Amino acid sequence: MSTTTARHEFAPAAHPTTWIGHLRGLLERKLPYEKLLPETQPSYVASWIYVFGVATLGALGVIVASGAVLAFEGPAWYHVSHTGLFFNSLHFWSVQLFFFFMVIHLFGKFWMAAWRGNRAKTWITGMLAFVVSVGAALTGYVVQTNFDSQWIAFEAKDGLNATGLGSWFNVANLGQNLLIHVFLLPAIIAVLVATHVLLVRVHGVVPPIDAAKVEAPPVPTVPEREGVR
Amino acid sequence: MELALRLSSDAPHYLSWGWLSVSVPNLIVIGAMLALFVLALVLPFPGNRRKTGDRS
């Protein structure tokens, strides 16, 4: 029997004995493919207020893509050439739209109490993503390598020094801020946003507060149905 | 273009109410976010026509 054949004949054990098996079982229970990639959404999702979360994700995609171009070409390119100035502006304005959409998304979720229905972790990861994004924006402003970045850095350092953070985070240190901006904070944001989106898939999109009166009750699981009989 | 450059290079005008101080550009952005939030609540979503018997 070849290795290839054996791989095709593999069948997962009914009762996993390893942590990988337990993880697979957990994912199969909490996040089946129907939840991970749903084709339909509840009727209340057909509202403009539900658009701003995915608009924020779209803006984040443009930020990452334009930032990657800026990182490859460098400031000697994006401060001088027309194409570089275009990508520099694209990066800047996608950040503006990112925060614009994220704040409206936050308004909507706050006023519909989006932490209802066991969605506290979804709310917390969203808030953490917002806070870390503010740090990414600040470090982005101070690594522009122009007079604007110098002004912002020397205004920000007074505030940070007043809190004591200045002892280990120095906004006038270009190297430190550049690495934090292009690697550390994007990595944290990527993990937080991925977790946030997966939690939305696990728990579903939060309904409006008055939707509970009109939405159908959840379909009972197989054990619940069998328990009734 | 010259107007845009002049507006972006000049120091912004600030409005102050007691302890609160906000620049006019920031106030415009905050107002735009609030306006879009309200519009998102009241404007109908395209394709969201209610069918007969639909409980939503």
Side-chain angles (χ1 to χ4, degrees):
Chain A
M1 183 184 291
S2 70
T3 308
T4 308
T5 309
R7 190 182 301 136
H8 284 295
E9 289 174 355
F10 170 78
H15 301 287
T17 54
T18 64
W19 69 268
I20 292 178
H22 284 289
L23 178 63
R24 186 190 62 240
L26 180 72
L27 290 173
E28 285 172 350
R29 285 194 307 277
K30 295 281 188 184
L31 198 59
Y33 286 128
E34 298 80 35
K35 276 189 170 184
L36 182 65
L37 298 169
E39 290 182 276
T40 58
Q41 289 288 346
S43 58
Y44 51 76
V45 177
S47 164
W48 284 112
I49 199 63
Y50 284 96
V51 168
F52 292 97
V54 78
T56 309
L57 286 177
L60 180 61
V62 178
I63 292 169
V64 173
S66 58
V69 175
L70 296 180
F72 269 105
E73 299 291 347
W77 173 76
Y78 65 68
H79 279 318
V80 177
S81 77
H82 291 295
T83 314
L85 288 168
F86 170 76
F87 275 95
N88 198 2
S89 297
L90 189 65
H91 194 64
F92 174 82
W93 286 105
S94 53
V95 170
Q96 308 307 307
L97 286 176
F98 174 73
F99 277 98
F100 195 91
F101 293 144
M102 187 159 50
V103 168
I104 299 173
H105 179 62
L106 171 61
F107 285 165
K109 297 304 161 189
F110 178 78
W111 290 110
M112 68 173 72
W115 48 84
R116 288 174 295 129
N118 201 24
R119 293 181 176 86
K121 292 191 188 77
T122 315
W123 172 261
I124 290 167
T125 50
M127 290 308 299
L128 287 174
F130 178 73
V131 171
V132 177
S133 298
V134 171
L138 172 65
T139 52
Y141 275 118
V142 301
V143 300
Q144 293 177 95
T145 58
N146 56 16
F147 288 124
D148 191 35
S149 62
Q150 289 183 23
W151 171 261
I152 294 168
F154 279 78
E155 290 293 309
K157 77 172 173 51
D158 291 339
L160 290 165
N161 287 345
T163 66
L165 287 172
S167 62
W168 58 274
F169 175 58
N170 178 13
V171 279
N173 183 340
L174 179 66
Q176 182 191 35
N177 279 268
L178 187 63
L179 289 171
I180 289 173
H181 180 73
V182 301
F183 173 69
L184 184 62
L185 295 184
I188 295 172
I189 290 171
V191 170
L192 285 171
V193 169
T195 309
H196 185 70
V197 172
L198 285 176
L199 284 168
V200 171
R201 293 303 197 199
V202 169
H203 297 292
V205 178
V206 67
I209 288 173
D210 56 352
K213 300 169 191 166
V214 295
E215 287 295 320
V219 178
T221 61
V222 173
E224 284 171 347
R225 284 201 298 269
E226 289 173 348
V228 172
R229 284 171 188 167
Chain B
M1 185 65 185
E2 285 179 13
L3 178 66
L5 283 172
R6 191 161 53 83
L7 287 174
S8 62
S9 59
D10 288 349
H13 183 64
Y14 274 78
L15 301 173
S16 298
W17 296 276
W19 55 269
L20 181 65
S21 179
V22 62
S23 70
V24 171
N26 278 345
L27 195 62
I28 290 171
V29 170
I30 293 166
M33 285 192 294
L34 289 171
L36 199 57
F37 173 63
V38 173
L39 286 174
L41 293 177
V42 298
L43 285 180
F45 194 75
N48 186 25
R49 296 188 185 89
R50 292 188 178 186
K51 297 172 185 172
T52 307
D54 189 351
R55 292 185 298 169
S56 61

